[in-house]
Amino acid sequence: MKAKGWQGLSCLLLCLTAGQALAAKPTAADINASLDLRNNWIGLTRNIVFPADWVANSHDFLFRKTVAGGYTYIRENADTGKQQSAFDQALVAKGLSAAMHKHITALQLPIKHFNYAGDGIDFDIEYDPWHCSLKEAKCEALQWPGQPSGFGVVRDLRYPADNHLRAAPNGKLSAFVEGHNLVVVDGEGNKKALSQDGTAGNFYDPESIHWSPDSKYIVLYRVRPGYARFVTRVMSSPTDQLQPKVVKQLYPKPGDAIDIDQPVLFNVATGKETIIDNALFSNPYQLTDLRWRKDSKSFAFRYNQRGFQKARVIAVDASTGKPRAEVTETAKTFIYQDREFGHDVHGLGKEFIWLSERDGWAHLYLYNGKTGKVKNRITSGNWPVREVVKVDDDKRQIWFAASGMNKGEDPYFVHYYRINFDGSNLTDLTKVRANHHVAFSDDMKYYVDVYSRVDMPNVAELHKANGSLVRTIAKGDISKLLAAGFKYPEPFVAKGRDGKTDIYGLIVKPLNFDPKKHYPVIENIYAGPQDSFVPKDFWPFGYHSGGDKVIGMQELANLGFIVVQIDGMGTANRSKAFHDVIWKNLGDSGFPDRILWHKAAAKKFPWYDISHGVGIYGGSAGGQSTVGALEFHPEFYTVGVAFAGCYDNRMDKISWNEQWMGWPVDDSYKRSSEVVNADKLKGNVLIIFGEQDSNVDPSSSLQLVNALIHANKDFDLLEVPGGEHTAGRSTGPIRYAERRQFDFFIKHLLHDKTPAWNKK
């Protein structure tokens, strides 16, 4: 009887294994093939055109497109269709190679967008500004070496401010700051101090000097400095010397005292100084968009209250110095500052266009600038305005981008529209059911539309402003990519936590996918509230390997996984209620929606196996969510790889965290903290971060490590010497970090042994 029982159990195990038809153990060759996938495939597309840019005040536009071996940069004239090289790629490659101390080829320039400037071109590389001459092979970074990044709310007084002369419109006088005070000087060098009260602790900001158009007044900010917090990092392995270096960076954090700006008005002729009553802007996070009205009768600025729950447009009468609120916006949760839009019609303060989410969706309103009341709504409906592109005051028309307006279409697809100030004549300029990127010429006579979907390669078209097609610039050709085995990712939609709202995601399968097999699932997560993140465009490669784009997911999927990406509640570009879930609750990360999405996929697809837990990985806010998954939902998520996470929002930059977690700092920060909740961690986690991360304080990762040690938790750790915020994802030893990520999921989700890499 005992023997028969063992035979039965053996048969049961064999039958289960055969029924599941589990994927074979990945070999070293399989892993290397995944690591090579992006480089092997990225050169297989042709005529993929990326979003265009226009040359200022012309009908020439610029774009990058794929060719054999990489990319070419084209300048095309809208009127004639004549094309030419946008610049000498070989010359720029030579200059960049010398400046960056690495070989860069002409067809592999790391330039996505650029503009002509001086003798050459300006562009960004990994968010850092660069300039390359087009006359000689010379390129240079535009930031000072070691210059810390600023946060706007705290000035770094270690570095000299922009203190060049600000000339009056009539050219008779110039203004500057000397000894913390405002000074004017005439053409003969005669100086006159307009202020006497400036000190190091209450100084006049030279960058904020604004002359009135009639040259009679100057307004600028007097600044009471906040707390200049610096993050100190040790560069353990510098490339130019043996011994370590110390790096300091200005880095204000949530709750810190910030600079307080106070606008001060000066009558240049009389020297009269008027300090503007701050009752309407007494607790600023920032004062922005300081500008004079065209008639010189008033100036205006925007006030964002600390805590991001109130914003105002404030106008100040130049003759009296009396302020008044032209627009006031309030929210019970947050006002999304980075999406804020306001436009002073004709620059006279009589009418004002303002973006508000007051009815639950982001829409445009026309205000009476004198009364501060809404004259009329401009847009309306259960869809959000995503961006205002152009306002034509004379024609009383607005060009804007929006999503979710078309029924039956993915609500994240961006389309472009024109509408009148009174809300009439709404015109769709981009009718193809796809995600659109549109760039308009300065005179609004033409626009270039680049559109695609994850299952449709880029199409680039030139249109006239009325929407009529002038010509097709290019259609992407991916025949070689498809022949190599590329398969489109598959969109999937399921209901969220409320049982009503659609949650959108993508599914990436192994290239050798067999529907009879069962595949464990890994989620690529980024749940930052600043945007939505599931790809809607075709380009699958992203800007780096192993990131949040399709090929990075494909690399991992090919090792025997289903890899998915989901936009849960708390991310942007849907309704205000959808977004508000994240308020004071970054630890939520949309997990209630994500888990339901996974369960719906598992119910529909027999091969979607979540029975033994789901893996998860992500970088930055995605790293934070990855660890949060293992702490707050360990019954569902069992394995995670976290890159460069902020694991306690009190340790991260002030701007991002106070926007979503609020101010003052309260217990909600602790509730969302993976450091505070380290004792709840279950499953297996690999923590990866860069030693020189200037975006997220590297100590955030090490404080998590410290908390896990004290909680007696096991974990794996990889600190990349010299690595920045994208260490292991787009800079530094990418291949090594990716391989470690792959190994970790193979070991803990497939439960297979990984290759003995050290024996090779």
Side-chain angles (χ1 to χ4, degrees), residues 573-649:
N573 302 325
R574 300 285 289 276
S575 68
K576 176 66 171 165
F578 190 100
H579 204 186
D580 277 349
V581 166
I582 209 70
W583 173 242
K584 288 185 175 293
N585 190 24
L586 280 170
D588 179 277
S589 293
F591 282 126
D593 313 299
R594 298 170 187 277
I595 291 170
L596 288 171
W597 190 96
H598 283 291
K599 290 180 177 178
K603 184 176 181 180
K604 182 174 182 179
F605 306 119
W607 39 264
Y608 197 99
D609 186 2
I610 60 173
S611 61
H612 300 292
V614 170
I616 187 168
Y617 72 97
S620 195
Q624 177 181 7
S625 295
T626 294
V627 176
L630 301 180
E631 290 182 355
F632 303 130
H633 302 278
E635 76 291 344
F636 192 82
Y637 295 97
T638 58
V639 186
V641 179
F643 292 85
C646 164
Y647 303 108
D648 189 310
N649 295 103

XYZ file of all heavy atoms in Angstrom, residues 573-649:
600
model
N -2.971 61.526 -16.366
C -3.556 61.512 -17.717
C -4.923 60.850 -17.809
O -5.378 60.508 -18.900
C -2.596 60.877 -18.729
C -1.272 61.604 -18.780
O -1.222 62.818 -18.640
N -0.190 60.861 -18.954
N -5.549 60.680 -16.651
C -6.947 60.256 -16.638
C -7.729 61.309 -15.850
O -7.425 62.494 -15.923
C -7.064 58.851 -16.008
C -6.290 57.761 -16.729
C -6.944 57.318 -18.023
N -8.162 56.558 -17.824
C -8.227 55.247 -17.574
N -7.099 54.536 -17.483
N -9.379 54.632 -17.443
N -8.710 60.917 -15.090
C -9.503 61.874 -14.317
C -8.751 62.317 -13.063
O -7.761 61.706 -12.654
C -10.831 61.238 -13.909
O -10.601 60.202 -12.957
N -9.241 63.377 -12.452
C -8.666 63.848 -11.192
C -8.831 62.787 -10.108
O -7.911 62.561 -9.309
C -9.357 65.152 -10.778
C -8.931 65.713 -9.433
C -7.500 66.166 -9.421
C -7.181 66.912 -8.123
N -5.720 67.059 -7.911
N -9.977 62.107 -10.074
C -10.201 61.061 -9.070
C -9.217 59.907 -9.252
O -8.721 59.338 -8.272
C -11.642 60.555 -9.164
N -8.945 59.539 -10.498
C -7.972 58.487 -10.804
C -6.601 58.875 -10.252
O -5.890 58.056 -9.659
C -7.913 58.309 -12.321
C -7.142 57.117 -12.802
C -7.806 55.966 -13.193
C -5.755 57.139 -12.901
C -7.109 54.853 -13.671
C -5.051 56.046 -13.372
C -5.723 54.895 -13.754
N -6.248 60.129 -10.420
C -4.938 60.635 -9.997
C -4.853 60.777 -8.479
O -3.816 60.506 -7.863
C -4.708 61.988 -10.665
C -3.277 62.365 -10.816
N -2.886 63.599 -11.291
C -2.124 61.706 -10.558
C -1.568 63.669 -11.334
N -1.084 62.529 -10.894
N -5.939 61.205 -7.853
C -5.931 61.542 -6.427
C -5.639 60.364 -5.509
O -5.335 60.569 -4.323
C -7.276 62.153 -6.026
C -7.350 63.639 -6.334
O -6.306 64.230 -6.664
O -8.462 64.208 -6.233
N -5.738 59.162 -6.033
C -5.466 57.974 -5.210
C -4.085 58.056 -4.573
O -3.859 57.547 -3.472
C -5.598 56.700 -6.080
C -5.000 55.484 -5.385
C -7.064 56.449 -6.410
N -3.157 58.726 -5.232
C -1.776 58.767 -4.752
C -1.565 59.796 -3.650
O -0.536 59.774 -2.969
C -0.830 59.071 -5.950
C 0.556 58.437 -5.726
C -0.680 60.548 -6.188
C 0.565 56.936 -5.824
N -2.515 60.693 -3.445
C -2.338 61.802 -2.498
C -2.021 61.294 -1.091
O -2.775 60.522 -0.517
C -3.596 62.665 -2.485
C -3.634 63.750 -1.444
C -4.538 63.863 -0.437
C -2.752 64.869 -1.317
N -4.288 64.975 0.308
C -3.179 65.618 -0.209
C -1.633 65.304 -2.038
C -2.547 66.783 0.198
C -0.989 66.459 -1.629
C -1.444 67.181 -0.527
N -0.873 61.706 -0.583
C -0.368 61.292 0.731
C -0.310 59.773 0.857
O -0.450 59.214 1.947
C -1.238 61.880 1.856
C -1.057 63.379 2.051
C -1.851 63.863 3.244
C -1.563 65.333 3.518
N -0.178 65.562 3.973
N -0.117 59.097 -0.276
C -0.234 57.645 -0.271
C 0.602 57.034 -1.390
O 0.136 56.189 -2.147
C -1.716 57.264 -0.456
C -1.966 55.790 -0.231
O -1.205 55.110 0.455
N -3.024 55.285 -0.832
N 1.864 57.458 -1.517
C 2.716 56.912 -2.574
C 2.932 55.414 -2.412
O 3.235 54.718 -3.379
C 4.069 57.637 -2.594
C 4.078 58.998 -3.294
C 5.389 59.724 -3.044
C 3.840 58.852 -4.790
N 2.772 54.916 -1.209
C 2.920 53.483 -0.985
C 1.851 52.653 -1.669
O 2.017 51.443 -1.855
N 0.746 53.288 -2.072
C -0.320 52.563 -2.768
C 0.164 52.023 -4.101
O -0.089 50.860 -4.455
C -1.513 53.499 -2.972
C -2.664 52.845 -3.709
O -2.623 52.811 -4.960
O -3.614 52.379 -3.047
N 0.840 52.881 -4.892
C 1.427 52.493 -6.188
C 0.434 51.824 -7.127
O 0.832 51.124 -8.057
C 2.628 51.557 -5.973
O 3.693 52.228 -5.336
N -0.845 52.007 -6.892
C -1.844 51.384 -7.761
C -1.945 49.880 -7.605
O -2.536 49.201 -8.465
N -1.405 49.307 -6.516
C -1.367 47.849 -6.385
C -2.742 47.190 -6.373
O -2.912 46.113 -6.969
C -0.569 47.447 -5.145
C 0.920 47.538 -5.336
C 1.714 48.272 -4.470
C 1.539 46.898 -6.400
C 3.086 48.368 -4.651
C 2.907 46.978 -6.590
C 3.682 47.720 -5.711
N -3.762 47.772 -5.741
C -5.081 47.129 -5.815
C -5.571 46.949 -7.248
O -6.227 45.946 -7.567
C -5.977 48.090 -5.023
C -5.045 48.735 -4.047
C -3.765 48.912 -4.797
N -5.247 47.892 -8.129
C -5.635 47.779 -9.543
C -4.740 46.786 -10.271
O -5.203 45.993 -11.105
C -5.533 49.142 -10.224
C -6.169 50.238 -9.406
O -7.381 50.154 -9.155
O -5.450 51.176 -8.998
N -3.459 46.832 -9.994
C -2.496 45.949 -10.654
C -2.791 44.483 -10.340
O -2.759 43.619 -11.227
C -1.078 46.317 -10.218
C -0.678 47.719 -10.613
C 0.634 48.173 -9.963
N 0.871 49.579 -10.256
C 1.429 50.028 -11.377
N 1.837 49.166 -12.295
N 1.587 51.316 -11.582
N -3.063 44.203 -9.081
C -3.322 42.814 -8.684
C -4.586 42.289 -9.369
O -4.626 41.145 -9.861
C -3.418 42.720 -7.151
C -2.024 42.966 -6.534
C -3.956 41.354 -6.717
C -2.032 43.129 -5.027
N -5.634 43.117 -9.441
C -6.856 42.704 -10.142
C -6.588 42.498 -11.629
O -7.155 41.591 -12.251
C -7.947 43.762 -9.939
C -8.566 43.827 -8.544
C -9.472 45.042 -8.418
C -9.348 42.549 -8.233
N -5.735 43.345 -12.214
C -5.378 43.206 -13.630
C -4.687 41.870 -13.858
O -5.013 41.136 -14.809
C -4.468 44.378 -14.006
C -4.177 44.572 -15.457
C -4.821 45.413 -16.312
C -3.131 43.953 -16.223
N -4.250 45.353 -17.566
C -3.208 44.466 -17.545
C -2.141 43.022 -15.931
C -2.332 44.078 -18.560
C -1.264 42.622 -16.935
C -1.366 43.150 -18.236
N -3.738 41.522 -12.999
C -3.047 40.230 -13.107
C -4.040 39.067 -12.997
O -3.970 38.102 -13.770
C -2.004 40.097 -12.002
C -0.748 40.874 -12.230
N 0.154 40.549 -13.207
C -0.227 41.953 -11.584
C 1.184 41.396 -13.160
N 0.966 42.253 -12.190
N -4.933 39.164 -12.046
C -5.884 38.075 -11.837
C -6.821 37.931 -13.039
O -7.185 36.810 -13.422
C -6.681 38.313 -10.551
C -5.836 38.142 -9.286
C -6.656 38.385 -8.029
C -5.815 38.124 -6.772
N -6.586 38.393 -5.526
N -7.203 39.059 -13.630
C -8.057 38.995 -14.822
C -7.309 38.359 -15.989
O -7.881 37.560 -16.752
C -8.523 40.400 -15.198
N -6.025 38.694 -16.134
C -5.222 38.086 -17.206
C -5.067 36.588 -16.976
O -5.154 35.787 -17.926
C -3.852 38.759 -17.277
N -4.841 36.197 -15.714
C -4.681 34.778 -15.395
C -5.971 33.999 -15.647
O -5.943 32.830 -16.057
C -4.246 34.617 -13.942
N -7.092 34.651 -15.427
C -8.386 34.003 -15.665
C -8.635 33.804 -17.156
O -9.213 32.787 -17.581
C -9.508 34.847 -15.050
C -10.883 34.212 -15.149
C -11.931 35.068 -14.439
C -13.310 34.426 -14.519
N -14.334 35.260 -13.823
N -8.174 34.744 -17.960
C -8.418 34.678 -19.397
C -7.417 33.790 -20.119
O -7.768 33.094 -21.080
C -8.382 36.089 -19.991
C -8.673 36.116 -21.487
C -8.779 37.538 -22.024
C -9.118 37.526 -23.515
N -9.256 38.907 -24.060
N -6.127 33.813 -19.679
C -5.069 33.122 -20.406
C -4.516 31.971 -19.563
O -3.893 32.215 -18.523
C -3.933 34.090 -20.749
C -4.378 35.328 -21.484
C -4.179 36.583 -20.939
C -4.996 35.236 -22.728
C -4.569 37.727 -21.605
C -5.405 36.376 -23.408
C -5.192 37.630 -22.843
N -4.682 30.723 -19.975
C -4.191 29.582 -19.185
C -2.676 29.612 -18.970
O -2.190 29.068 -17.983
C -4.607 28.373 -20.035
C -5.728 28.862 -20.898
C -5.434 30.291 -21.172
N -1.944 30.211 -19.875
C -0.482 30.244 -19.787
C 0.032 31.312 -18.836
O 1.230 31.385 -18.535
C 0.120 30.483 -21.172
C -0.637 31.458 -22.024
C -1.573 31.168 -22.973
C -0.538 32.899 -21.995
N -2.062 32.318 -23.543
C -1.436 33.405 -22.968
C 0.229 33.799 -21.266
C -1.602 34.768 -23.202
C 0.070 35.162 -21.498
C -0.835 35.634 -22.453
N -0.841 32.164 -18.324
C -0.468 33.290 -17.448
C -0.484 32.787 -16.008
O -1.522 32.754 -15.351
C -1.469 34.426 -17.654
C -1.050 35.794 -17.168
C -0.537 36.729 -18.049
C -1.204 36.174 -15.841
C -0.184 38.003 -17.627
C -0.856 37.429 -15.402
C -0.341 38.350 -16.297
O 0.001 39.612 -15.865
N 0.671 32.377 -15.515
C 0.759 31.646 -14.247
C 1.197 32.559 -13.100
O 2.361 32.952 -13.002
C 1.748 30.487 -14.395
C 1.772 29.591 -13.163
O 0.995 29.848 -12.217
O 2.576 28.643 -13.150
N 0.246 32.906 -12.232
C 0.569 33.703 -11.046
C 0.367 32.888 -9.773
O 0.329 33.443 -8.669
C -0.297 34.980 -10.995
C -1.790 34.633 -10.936
C 0.007 35.882 -12.197
C -2.687 35.854 -10.706
N 0.283 31.584 -9.934
C -0.055 30.724 -8.791
C 1.045 30.663 -7.740
O 0.777 30.343 -6.583
C -0.376 29.307 -9.289
O 0.751 28.740 -9.952
N 2.284 30.956 -8.127
C 3.394 30.901 -7.164
C 3.984 32.281 -6.900
O 5.131 32.398 -6.469
C 4.483 29.962 -7.683
C 3.997 28.560 -7.905
N 3.627 27.724 -6.873
C 3.788 27.857 -9.051
C 3.236 26.561 -7.364
N 3.313 26.622 -8.684
N 3.203 33.313 -7.153
C 3.663 34.666 -6.906
C 4.139 35.345 -8.177
O 4.474 34.697 -9.172
N 4.171 36.664 -8.140
C 4.549 37.488 -9.282
C 5.851 38.204 -8.968
O 6.065 38.679 -7.855
C 3.426 38.504 -9.599
C 3.873 39.539 -10.619
C 2.176 37.768 -10.099
N 6.738 38.278 -9.969
C 7.961 39.057 -9.839
C 7.706 40.508 -10.203
O 6.714 40.843 -10.859
N 8.621 41.389 -9.797
C 8.437 42.806 -10.058
C 9.798 43.487 -10.091
O 10.710 43.110 -9.351
C 7.504 43.443 -8.995
C 7.159 44.886 -9.367
C 8.101 43.332 -7.595
C 6.024 45.465 -8.514
N 9.936 44.489 -10.977
C 11.167 45.277 -11.007
C 10.852 46.687 -11.473
O 9.842 46.932 -12.135
C 12.218 44.652 -11.927
C 11.940 44.762 -13.412
C 12.525 45.771 -14.177
C 11.100 43.855 -14.060
C 12.280 45.873 -15.539
C 10.849 43.957 -15.425
C 11.438 44.964 -16.159
O 11.195 45.070 -17.503
N 11.716 47.636 -11.109
C 11.533 49.011 -11.533
C 12.648 49.884 -11.012
O 13.391 49.500 -10.102
N 12.758 51.075 -11.595
C 13.793 52.017 -11.210
C 13.219 53.316 -10.697
O 12.115 53.727 -11.071
N 13.944 53.985 -9.793
C 13.552 55.262 -9.209
C 12.248 55.067 -8.418
O 12.221 54.267 -7.484
C 13.414 56.316 -10.303
O 13.385 57.607 -9.766
N 11.157 55.764 -8.802
C 9.887 55.501 -8.124
C 9.465 54.053 -8.316
O 8.777 53.473 -7.466
C 8.802 56.439 -8.655
N 9.887 53.451 -9.438
C 9.616 52.028 -9.649
C 10.397 51.151 -8.700
O 9.933 50.063 -8.317
N 11.596 51.583 -8.310
C 12.352 50.852 -7.294
C 11.653 50.917 -5.952
O 11.572 49.923 -5.220
N 11.136 52.098 -5.634
C 10.371 52.263 -4.404
C 9.153 51.337 -4.405
O 8.872 50.647 -3.416
C 9.932 53.718 -4.278
C 9.063 54.021 -3.068
C 8.643 55.484 -3.014
O 8.881 56.250 -3.943
N 8.014 55.880 -1.928
N 8.431 51.307 -5.521
C 7.245 50.455 -5.603
C 7.602 48.974 -5.540
O 6.841 48.165 -5.007
C 6.481 50.752 -6.900
O 5.981 52.064 -6.901
N 8.761 48.612 -6.107
C 9.178 47.212 -6.085
C 9.336 46.707 -4.663
O 8.822 45.636 -4.296
C 10.503 47.048 -6.859
O 10.265 47.334 -8.241
C 11.048 45.638 -6.733
N 10.040 47.458 -3.844
C 10.204 47.051 -2.449
C 8.861 47.139 -1.722
O 8.531 46.281 -0.892
C 11.272 47.910 -1.753
C 11.377 47.547 -0.273
C 12.627 47.722 -2.438
N 8.060 48.159 -2.060
C 6.735 48.268 -1.454
C 5.867 47.063 -1.757
O 5.074 46.623 -0.908
N 5.997 46.500 -2.944
C 5.218 45.311 -3.292
C 5.539 44.154 -2.358
O 4.638 43.412 -1.929
C 5.508 44.915 -4.741
N 6.821 43.990 -2.034
C 7.243 42.877 -1.177
C 6.930 43.130 0.290
O 6.893 42.191 1.085
C 8.743 42.636 -1.348
C 9.213 42.312 -2.769
C 10.723 42.107 -2.801
C 8.505 41.095 -3.318
N 6.703 44.397 0.651
C 6.358 44.718 2.039
C 4.849 44.774 2.259
O 4.339 44.246 3.254
C 6.972 46.061 2.424
C 8.487 46.028 2.547
C 9.071 47.350 2.982
O 8.317 48.350 3.102
O 10.291 47.394 3.211
N 4.140 45.420 1.333
C 2.718 45.672 1.543
C 1.806 44.634 0.882
O 0.642 44.521 1.249
C 2.360 47.072 1.025
C 3.167 48.177 1.656
C 3.806 49.130 0.873
C 3.303 48.266 3.030
C 4.545 50.149 1.443
C 4.046 49.280 3.624
C 4.675 50.219 2.836
N 2.359 43.866 -0.092
C 1.564 42.839 -0.775
C 2.399 41.566 -0.976
O 2.456 41.026 -2.090
C 1.057 43.369 -2.117
C 0.227 44.608 -2.000
N -1.113 44.582 -1.682
C 0.562 45.920 -2.115
C -1.582 45.816 -1.623
N -0.576 46.652 -1.877
N 3.006 41.052 0.090
C 3.897 39.890 -0.070
C 3.154 38.599 -0.390
O 3.780 37.629 -0.824
C 4.584 39.804 1.296
C 3.594 40.403 2.253
C 2.940 41.504 1.498
N 1.830 38.595 -0.205
C 1.053 37.411 -0.562
C 0.928 37.262 -2.078
O 0.577 36.184 -2.569
C -0.345 37.489 0.072
C -1.331 38.435 -0.588
C -1.011 39.932 -0.428
O -0.181 40.274 0.448
O -1.594 40.748 -1.173
N 1.241 38.344 -2.809
C 1.084 38.334 -4.260
C 2.421 38.485 -4.977
O 2.729 37.747 -5.910
C 0.132 39.462 -4.685
C -0.319 39.360 -6.117
C -1.361 38.518 -6.476
C 0.298 40.102 -7.113
C -1.772 38.399 -7.795
C -0.102 40.009 -8.432
C -1.144 39.156 -8.778
N 3.225 39.451 -4.553
C 4.541 39.682 -5.153
C 5.607 39.008 -4.295
O 5.670 39.241 -3.081
C 4.839 41.173 -5.258
C 3.921 41.930 -6.196
C 2.808 42.621 -5.711
C 4.177 41.969 -7.568
C 1.974 43.328 -6.570
C 3.341 42.676 -8.430
C 2.244 43.347 -7.921
O 1.420 44.044 -8.772
N 6.446 38.197 -4.917
C 7.378 37.384 -4.135
C 8.850 37.622 -4.450
O 9.713 37.228 -3.666
C 7.074 35.891 -4.358
O 7.179 35.584 -5.759
C 5.672 35.541 -3.866
N 9.151 38.231 -5.594
C 10.534 38.466 -6.010
C 10.627 39.856 -6.627
O 9.783 40.216 -7.453
C 11.020 37.433 -7.049
C 12.510 37.625 -7.336
C 10.731 36.012 -6.599
N 11.652 40.635 -6.248
C 11.776 41.973 -6.804
C 13.211 42.406 -7.018
O 14.107 42.033 -6.254
N 13.422 43.202 -8.067
C 14.716 43.853 -8.322
C 14.449 45.349 -8.368
O 13.718 45.828 -9.238
C 15.360 43.370 -9.631
C 16.687 44.101 -9.862
C 15.576 41.860 -9.597
N 15.039 46.077 -7.420
C 14.760 47.499 -7.246
C 15.987 48.325 -7.601
O 17.046 48.165 -6.994
C 14.336 47.776 -5.805
N 15.830 49.210 -8.595
C 16.912 50.094 -9.019
C 16.684 51.505 -8.463
O 15.611 52.088 -8.653
C 16.954 50.209 -10.548
C 17.348 48.960 -11.281
C 16.407 47.993 -11.603
C 18.657 48.756 -11.672
C 16.753 46.855 -12.305
C 19.025 47.618 -12.379
C 18.079 46.666 -12.688
N 17.680 52.061 -7.791
C 17.748 53.495 -7.477
C 16.478 54.039 -6.845
O 16.021 55.131 -7.182
C 18.076 54.288 -8.743
N 15.900 53.301 -5.926
C 14.647 53.726 -5.326
C 14.827 54.763 -4.231
O 15.864 54.846 -3.586
N 13.776 55.569 -4.049
C 13.676 56.388 -2.842
C 12.750 55.629 -1.909
O 11.562 55.505 -2.170
C 13.085 57.755 -3.154
S 12.529 58.586 -1.663
N 13.296 55.120 -0.832
C 12.530 54.204 0.013
C 11.910 54.885 1.228
O 11.204 54.250 1.996
C 13.424 53.039 0.429
C 13.985 52.327 -0.776
C 15.329 52.446 -1.123
C 13.159 51.593 -1.614
C 15.834 51.816 -2.260
C 13.656 50.969 -2.752
C 14.998 51.094 -3.066
O 15.487 50.483 -4.189
N 12.188 56.169 1.378
C 11.523 57.002 2.379
C 11.451 58.389 1.774
O 12.473 59.008 1.507
C 12.300 57.026 3.697
C 11.525 57.715 4.815
O 11.030 58.835 4.585
O 11.417 57.140 5.909
N 10.231 58.879 1.537
C 10.072 60.120 0.787
C 10.603 61.344 1.515
O 10.762 62.408 0.916
C 8.610 60.309 0.400
C 8.134 59.227 -0.553
O 7.439 58.296 -0.159
N 8.538 59.319 -1.809
